Amino acid sequence: MQMESIDNVHSNAQEYVHWFRNSAPYINAHRNKTFVLMFGGEAVHNANFKNIIHDIALMHSLGIRLILVHGARPQISENLKEKSIQSPFHNNRRITTRESLASVMSAVGSIRLQIEALLSMGLANSPMYGARIDVVSGNLVTAKPYGIRDGVDFQLTGEVRSVDTDAIQRHLDNHNIVLLGPSGYSTTGEVFNLLAEEVAMKTAIDLQADKLIFLGSQQGIIDEFSKLMREITPHQLDQHIAKYQDSNFEIALHLQYAKEASLQGVHRVHLISYDHDGALIEELFTRDGHGTMVTDAHYEEVRTATIDDVGGLINLLRPLEEEGILVYRSRERIENEIDHFAVIERDGMILACAALYPIPASQDEMKSAELACVAVHPSYRKSNRGSQILHYLEEKAKSMGIEQLFILTTRTAHWFLEQGFIEATVDDLPEARQALYNFQRNSLVCKKLIS
């Protein structure tokens, strides 16, 4: 029993080491990048909020420049209910009367103090122990009246006029976390009640932030088959905005502002859940992520190849075949096998490709497939397009019930090892593939479990 316990501890430690090693590229990629993180008052109420604060502190310690934007809708509603003050909504936007403004500001100020207090925790045995985090806020958002819409005067409800990006950058340069709320100030000294989602979106655009992250009530965007959509383009969001408009206005707002931010230069917008412990860490430091990512790369997509791509595939593959890196494939063979190929296309040009070939398996063999023809245009080899198309085919393989992938390569083994493959031998190949192995090429064999 003692030996079994030690083995379990060792196994858990090995899993942690494996995860930590795989997270290293993300840690390096995110260092000194600017992220805008938005969460509503519902998230602050949630039991998981302290864990979110701990993860925010961890992100800060890893060198990520953070702007936090909080909402306060439920807290404002509670304050108004206690004082029996009516504050109606029109088109899902609160009409902020002068009578209600004090309750609005009280809720906003209370949340700001709560967040600052949580980020100041330094108790021994807590994830915040030894952390020194300075949080700054202030009159960093200038607002203007939302005005009269559809004949309705929104009074002290406003919209963002400008964000003081210079001041925010100085605070970030001083290693501070910047905290913004759903309020802004006019040049005449008035206070306006704003949408926190709009504050986050405008801030991310004006700062040209590397990421805008919305923490919402669900994991991300769910498609018609109740499956999580891992990635979506801004132009695909319209149908989902319409779907959530009546059922979940919070999500609809996130999608609306995610689209606008993505189209205006914020290259990655993430939609994740505030209720899931570790959602931020999963989304930012693991390959599969946690929620849905909105990317502006709508002019460039990974997709299954069609017969129209044959010419582009030949142009991409021929130089590598001539160098002996890839096995020669005739035009006829590529045409016959076109359904096996995936491509990344941009403005009519094939930038990358790869092919997935299922391998016949005997009854006692794992379901396997071979990855072949992995190629990236020379001008784009420093990008992540090779990893992108590899991930696409891994997901396709999983959907087909494939349990392990093999690659045979003469020169690029190190790249595949970096993608999670391990060295293998010809004997590890399924029998059907062993029979076709070309000993004259003497290709190295690598494999990867994906089940």
Side-chain angles (χ1 to χ4, degrees):
M1 291 296 289
Q2 181 67 23
M3 181 60 70
E4 183 180 357
S5 176
I6 292 173
D7 287 343
N8 287 337
V9 170
H10 179 71
S11 175
N12 291 337
Q14 287 298 305
E15 287 180 16
Y16 171 76
V17 169
H18 178 71
W19 175 86
F20 191 72
R21 285 172 176 163
N22 286 334
S23 68
Y26 300 98
I27 294 172
N28 292 326
H30 297 332
R31 186 177 293 116
N32 296 322
K33 297 296 174 63
T34 300
F35 295 178
V36 177
L37 175 62
M38 185 271 153
F39 46 86
E42 298 84 357
V44 178
H45 268 327
N46 192 273
N48 189 49
F49 189 63
K50 283 189 177 181
N51 294 324
I52 293 173
I53 290 291
H54 293 154
D55 291 343
I56 288 170
L58 174 59
M59 292 162 60
H60 177 71
S61 72
L62 293 173
I64 298 173
R65 297 154 62 91
L66 291 170
I67 300 103
L68 310 181
V69 182
H70 71 84
R73 281 192 204 95
Q75 291 84 351
I76 291 171
S77 295
E78 289 168 11
N79 282 1
L80 293 172
K81 185 177 180 181
E82 285 179 8
K83 296 185 178 180
S84 301
I85 296 174
Q86 296 296 317
S87 183
F89 284 78
H90 180 70
N91 289 337
N92 289 305
R93 190 181 288 254
R94 190 188 299 275
I95 299 169
T96 309
T97 62
R98 293 198 176 275
E99 182 187 19
S100 67
L101 185 62
S103 298
V104 171
M105 293 300 99
S106 174
V108 172
S110 175
I111 292 175
R112 177 175 62 81
L113 291 172
Q114 181 182 350
I115 294 169
E116 289 176 350
L118 288 170
L119 283 169
S120 300
M121 289 190 304
L123 296 175
N125 301 320
S126 82
M128 300 284 289
Y129 179 65
R132 171 64 181 174
I133 300 175
D134 291 321
V135 185
V136 296
S137 54
N139 57 339
L140 299 170
V141 178
T142 302
K144 59 184 178 181
Y146 192 65
I148 299 172
R149 310 285 178 105
D150 302 324
V152 175
D153 186 355
F154 282 82
Q155 301 183 51
L156 292 176
T157 296
E159 57 184 335
V160 178
R161 169 170 280 170
S162 64
V163 178
D164 191 344
T165 55
D166 290 340
I168 291 175
Q169 290 286 16
R170 286 195 299 271
H171 290 310
L172 295 176
D173 290 342
N174 289 328
H175 308 291
N176 299 322
I177 289 179
V178 175
L179 178 62
L180 304 176
S183 58
Y185 307 89
S186 73
T187 53
T188 58
E190 287 187 294
V191 181
F192 288 97
N193 181 22
L194 309 176
L195 286 176
E197 293 83 359
E198 185 192 10
V199 173
M201 182 267 294
K202 290 282 191 181
T203 303
I205 291 171
D206 289 354
L207 284 170
Q208 285 297 282
D210 299 282
K211 290 183 184 291
L212 170 59
I213 303 167
F214 288 106
L215 284 163
S217 57
Q218 68 180 35
Q219 188 171 353
I221 301 175
I222 309 300
D223 67 14
E224 64 271 27
F225 305 108
S226 299
K227 295 284 184 68
L228 175 69
M229 301 182 70
R230 295 288 184 183
E231 190 172 311
I232 192 170
T233 67
H235 292 294
Q236 293 174 314
L237 285 174
D238 289 334
Q239 59 179 312
H240 299 284
I241 294 171
K243 180 178 74 174
Y244 286 111
Q245 198 75 42
D246 296 325
S247 61
N248 191 326
F249 184 67
E250 174 215 47
I251 298 296
L253 270 182
H254 290 181
L255 299 185
Q256 177 185 329
Y257 287 118
K259 176 183 176 181
E260 191 166 343
S262 187
L263 292 175
Q264 294 194 50
V266 182
H267 298 301
R268 297 288 185 268
V269 183
H270 300 260
L271 306 162
I272 62 176
S273 168
Y274 58 69
D275 191 48
H276 179 83
D277 186 13
L280 272 169
I281 304 302
E282 286 183 35
E283 183 69 9
L284 297 175
F285 299 101
T286 68
R287 183 164 192 173
D288 291 335
H290 164 78
T292 300
M293 181 175 72
V294 183
T295 173
D296 68 337
H298 52 279
Y299 52 87
E300 181 180 314
E301 62 174 344
V302 187
R303 58 173 175 79
T304 301
T306 69
I307 199 69
D308 294 330
D309 298 316
V310 171
L313 284 169
I314 290 172
N315 290 337
L316 187 62
L317 296 174
R318 281 295 179 264
L320 298 173
E321 292 170 352
E322 290 168 1
E323 289 184 53
I325 297 173
L326 296 178
V327 175
Y328 173 79
R329 281 172 167 77
S330 67
R331 173 182 282 271
E332 183 180 6
R333 181 179 176 184
I334 292 174
E335 289 176 353
N336 290 335
E337 298 177 350
I338 195 67
D339 291 341
H340 293 288
F341 280 84
V343 296
I344 297 179
E345 177 198 0
R346 179 175 181 178
D347 297 331
M349 177 181 177
I350 304 298
L351 302 185
C353 72
L356 180 72
Y357 295 94
I359 302 172
S362 62
Q363 193 169 10
D364 58 345
E365 288 181 328
M366 295 175 67
K367 291 191 69 175
S368 305
E370 180 182 355
L371 277 170
C373 294
V374 181
V376 179
H377 190 280
S379 300
Y380 296 90
R381 284 179 186 160
K382 291 185 179 180
S383 69
N384 69 340
R385 289 176 178 84
S387 301
Q388 196 177 344
I389 202 164
L390 182 64
H391 180 64
Y392 176 86
L393 287 180
E394 282 183 13
E395 292 300 314
K396 181 179 179 180
K398 286 180 185 177
S399 70
M400 296 165 62
I402 301 296
E403 298 171 285
Q404 63 179 346
L405 294 176
F406 287 93
I407 61 99
L408 282 74
T409 180
T410 56
R411 301 195 202 175
T412 56
H414 280 93
W415 184 82
F416 285 102
L417 294 177
E418 291 169 2
Q419 308 305 313
F421 283 77
I422 60 172
E423 293 184 10
T425 67
V426 175
D427 292 337
D428 292 318
L429 291 167
E431 291 180 4
R433 185 62 184 86
Q434 285 186 41
L436 299 175
Y437 181 80
N438 185 343
F439 285 92
Q440 190 172 356
R441 275 183 64 82
N442 195 29
S443 299
L444 295 172
V445 179
C446 298
K447 69 178 181 179
K448 183 177 184 179
L449 296 176
I450 62 169
S451 58

